[in-house]
Amino acid sequence: MSPAGTPGSDAQTILDRCDELARESSAAHGITRVYLSPEHARVNAIAAGWMEAAGMTTWQDAAGNQRGRYEAETPGAPAVLLGSHLDTVPDAGRYDGVLGVLLAIAVVDRLHRAGTRLPVAVEVAAFGDEEGTRFGTALLGSRALAGTWDDAWWQLVDDQGTTLRDAFTAFGLDPAAVADAAPPRGSLVGYLEAHIEQGPYLEEADRALAVVSSIAGARRFELTVTGVAGHAGGVPFHRRHDALAGASEIVLAVERLARDAGCVATVGRLQAFPGGVNVIPGLVEASVDLRGEHDAERDAVWEAVLAEAAEVAERRGLTVEARETHSAPAVVASPALRDVVREGIAATGDADPMTLFSKAGHDAMAVAELTDWAMLFVRCGAGGISHHPDEIVGLADVAVALDAFEAAVRALAARTAEAA
Ligand code: GLV
Ligand code: MN
Ligand code: MN
């Protein structure tokens, strides 16, 4: 590890810590770390150690998020909340979510080393579930903190048939106490999240940082297409009800309808049953992830998908059912906090920061229900690849992101003091 005390060495520490957390995986190869797993408990403990070394008091909250607080000049003052997530998609990169948590801890570490207390406290939340990998429904950790937990979620099940309720208990949490994850209303002055861009625009523009204008609303569904299994040789085409052939038409319709409407949609998981090479598929289960800058446009795409799926089902003698597993509306960053992030970026020498709209989802979407928010995007290389092991960020970009994030936090603290 580089010597401490310079921005470069802080950035190197952050990258070293990303590597350390990447070792906490349920998979023998690659990184997979899901909500309420043993790996989740381990990264929480590691992050808590780093928070404490940065002068914070720490606790694991009632939803399994790792939290920390660096006290204000006046103890008990409202806090700026910084955060992102420590869970991952299957076979993930090492920076999605993690970089934002570590930048947040590093900002506090700098304040602590400088002996600085701000007019606001600085809290950090390392969210346990943003991706929704384990239970299908995303943002569980940040929605618990936002106080928007839905009791219907207790019955969600993972691939092993474990309910969310049982997973809570196995992790040592009390389902009846989940509301305690939410801070009291009025105790936050805002939420700032740093995150890798997960797209190519910063790299194309040869810039390191951007301020986020808004985040696309996302909906996710589980599609079940039911036909009739049968002999791959014996059943002639005119008598078939092939669930996979029908599902394939629907997959292509999802892509076409979303593209035509300026939205994005992905079928990321598809399974055919019974799965024999010489058996006509009788059942298909598939996921659909659908996003748009405007909720109404995105919802119109879904209605069109359903209509086309019904037509496919009718023509092929299939049934199609859709179950919504996740829904989050599009959110727009608060103008005042956007200005704070712009000020933070400007302090690093970029007088006219780039603004980007995020098609990726973030914990900020959930925290938006609780308080004002804004986000700082950091360039990721290799064309902006993400949700992939090749995810990459540069040392110099992490260094400038840390400077900008610290400057944004200080700017928000100063504005809050001025307004008081
Ligand atoms: C989270 O990364 C999402 O956008 O799905
Ligand atoms: Mn992600
Ligand atoms: Mn993320």
Side-chain angles (χ1 to χ4, degrees):
M1 203 176 286
S2 311
T6 67
S9 70
D10 284 353
Q12 186 59 56
T13 301
I14 288 170
L15 291 180
D16 291 344
R17 288 177 172 183
C18 289
D19 293 344
E20 184 171 346
L21 295 182
R23 290 195 281 274
E24 302 299 337
S25 171
S26 61
H29 301 288
I31 309 165
T32 301
R33 194 167 53 239
V34 301
Y35 190 37
L36 306 176
S37 62
E39 301 74 39
H40 175 186
R42 289 202 294 272
V43 293
N44 274 4
I46 295 168
W50 293 333
M51 288 176 180
E52 281 158 21
M56 309 181 86
T57 52
T58 63
W59 68 103
Q60 182 176 271
D61 75 18
N65 303 308
Q66 182 58 48
R67 309 268 291 270
R69 179 177 170 100
Y70 182 73
E71 198 47 85
E73 286 162 355
T74 308
V80 52
L81 179 67
L82 313 179
S84 198
H85 59 99
L86 294 180
D87 67 316
T88 75
V89 294
D91 200 18
R94 60 188 58 201
Y95 304 107
D96 176 359
V98 171
L99 181 69
V101 172
L102 297 182
L103 280 167
I105 296 173
V107 166
V108 177
D109 192 60
R110 282 183 163 192
L111 297 173
H112 179 56
R113 283 198 231 171
T116 304
R117 296 277 170 195
L118 298 175
V120 295
V122 183
E123 293 198 5
V124 175
F127 292 111
D129 177 76
E130 185 272 348
E131 305 284 7
T133 306
R134 181 168 180 190
F135 291 101
T137 296
L139 302 166
L140 292 173
S142 33
R143 281 166 152 175
L145 182 141
T148 54
W149 190 268
D150 181 344
D151 282 335
W153 296 336
W154 293 122
Q155 299 313 318
L156 293 170
V157 284
D158 68 7
D159 286 349
Q160 307 302 311
T162 304
T163 62
L164 179 53
R165 178 183 293 282
D166 287 346
F168 250 62
T169 309
F171 199 74
L173 299 171
D174 175 7
V178 68
D180 295 348
R185 291 258 157 196
S187 64
L188 294 179
V189 299
Y191 173 73
L192 297 177
E193 179 169 354
H195 203 286
I196 54 169
E197 180 204 339
Q198 306 182 283
Y201 297 110
L202 278 169
E203 192 178 57
E204 282 176 5
D206 195 23
R207 283 161 174 260
L209 304 174
V211 57
V212 174
S213 54
S214 60
I215 306 175
R219 294 177 72 185
R220 294 184 187 161
F221 304 89
E222 280 298 327
L223 276 183
T224 306
V225 181
T226 308
V228 182
H231 197 291
V235 186
F237 280 119
H238 74 276
R239 297 185 67 118
R240 290 190 184 202
H241 304 285
D242 182 329
L244 182 53
S248 303
E249 285 196 54
I250 296 168
V251 171
L252 293 177
V254 166
E255 184 187 50
R256 172 172 38 79
L257 292 165
R259 186 177 9 209
D260 290 353
C263 295
V264 283
T266 306
V267 175
R269 190 170 58 210
L270 185 145
Q271 262 190 299
F273 300 95
V277 291
N278 55 353
V279 184
I280 297 163
L283 180 76
V284 166
E285 291 173 353
S287 63
V288 179
D289 175 299
L290 175 58
R291 302 163 190 234
E293 187 166 6
H294 304 289
D295 293 345
E297 287 167 11
R298 177 204 60 190
D299 293 347
V301 169
W302 181 243
E303 290 307 314
V305 167
L306 287 179
E308 198 149 327
E311 184 278 317
V312 170
E314 168 79 19
R315 177 163 40 79
R316 289 180 171 272
L318 308 168
T319 60
V320 180
E321 282 169 33
R323 183 172 62 86
E324 185 159 23
T325 54
H326 172 70
S327 176
V331 288
V332 178
S334 336
L337 266 68
R338 250 166 86 166
D339 283 352
V340 155
V341 173
R342 291 177 70 85
E343 200 176 318
I345 298 174
T348 67
D350 178 357
D352 184 22
M354 190 170 182
T355 299
L356 284 173
F357 153 63
S358 177
K359 287 193 178 117
H362 300 290
D363 294 294
M365 311 171 80
V367 183
E369 299 273 343
L370 180 68
T371 188
D372 289 348
W373 68 276
M375 285 187 72
L376 172 72
F377 265 180
V378 185
R379 164 169 53 191
C380 46
I385 192 165
S386 183
H387 284 187
H388 189 283
D390 289 350
E391 222 172 56
I392 185 89
V393 290
L395 179 67
D397 287 354
V398 174
V400 75
L402 178 54
D403 288 345
F405 208 36
E406 181 189 358
V409 169
R410 286 179 179 270
L412 178 55
R415 285 183 187 205
T416 306
E418 273 165 29

